[in-house]
Amino acid sequence: MSPEYELLALASAGVQTVFVLLNLLGLPGNIAALFIPLFWALSGHMDWNVFYSVLLLVAAGEAVELAASYFVGKKYGVSNMSFFASVIGSLIGGLFGAGILLGVGAVPGTFLGAFLGTYLYEYFKFSDHKTALKRGIATFTGRFIGTGMKVVLGFIAVFETWKGLTAGF
């Protein structure tokens, strides 16, 4: 492998890693990271099967994040509307948190927003602090587990891309 190509492969892995870390800010980082192997497959420097495996990992990450948040919440009685409120709260929390500590605040803002979205919806609907708190914590927990799994799958996708770029050289 030429030094230039190796440097490009390394830079691609670095950019892809940054994209994967954007998941922690509530952004679709794995989807953005998918453009790296797409570029390399379109340019003919990587086999399309590698791109398809990365695509499958990204799709699995999105599904796992959504499913973990949804099913952990369901286990504790979170309604579909309350789940929707947690998603909206997560987006708002991430946006407001992004202005704190040079963007690092978006990480806790995303999770806190998911909790507050569920808590506020449940509290206004049932006027029961204890139930709203329990369901808010369940949504927070599901979001945390789902995001963690999504990041892990994203890093596996980065590794698969790296293997695809360096295969045969």
Side-chain angles (χ1 to χ4, degrees):
M1 173 183 331
S2 72
E4 294 85 11
Y5 183 79
E6 187 174 358
L7 185 60
L8 284 173
L10 185 60
S12 293
V15 169
Q16 214 176 359
T17 299
V18 169
F19 284 148
V20 168
L21 291 173
L22 290 176
N23 288 307
L24 297 173
L25 302 177
L27 298 172
N30 285 2
I31 294 171
L34 188 60
F35 286 104
I36 302 294
L38 177 62
F39 167 79
W40 286 109
L42 285 171
S43 70
H45 289 84
M46 187 171 62
D47 188 50
W48 278 99
N49 289 331
V50 175
F51 171 75
Y52 296 136
S53 68
V54 171
L55 177 63
L56 185 63
L57 286 165
V58 168
E62 297 298 322
V64 164
E65 180 185 39
L66 185 63
S69 195
Y70 183 78
F71 288 116
V72 170
K74 279 296 186 186
K75 182 178 177 181
Y76 290 93
V78 172
S79 69
N80 289 340
M81 284 303 296
S82 187
F83 175 71
F84 181 70
S86 79
V87 171
I88 298 300
S90 182
L91 291 171
I92 292 170
L95 288 173
F96 279 113
I100 301 171
L101 296 175
L102 301 174
V104 176
V107 176
T110 299
F111 296 110
L112 184 61
F115 166 78
L116 285 174
T118 299
Y119 174 82
L120 292 172
Y121 179 83
E122 293 288 332
Y123 185 76
F124 287 125
K125 184 171 182 181
F126 299 111
S127 297
D128 179 15
H129 168 70
K130 187 176 180 180
T131 301
L133 185 62
K134 178 177 79 168
R135 291 178 180 171
I137 291 170
T139 303
F140 172 89
T141 304
R143 176 90 175 157
F144 187 77
I145 291 168
T147 300
M149 292 303 298
K150 182 179 177 178
V151 169
V152 167
L153 288 168
F155 283 129
I156 294 170
V158 171
F159 181 70
E160 286 297 312
T161 302
W162 174 259
K163 281 189 348 185
L165 285 174
T166 58
F169 291 100

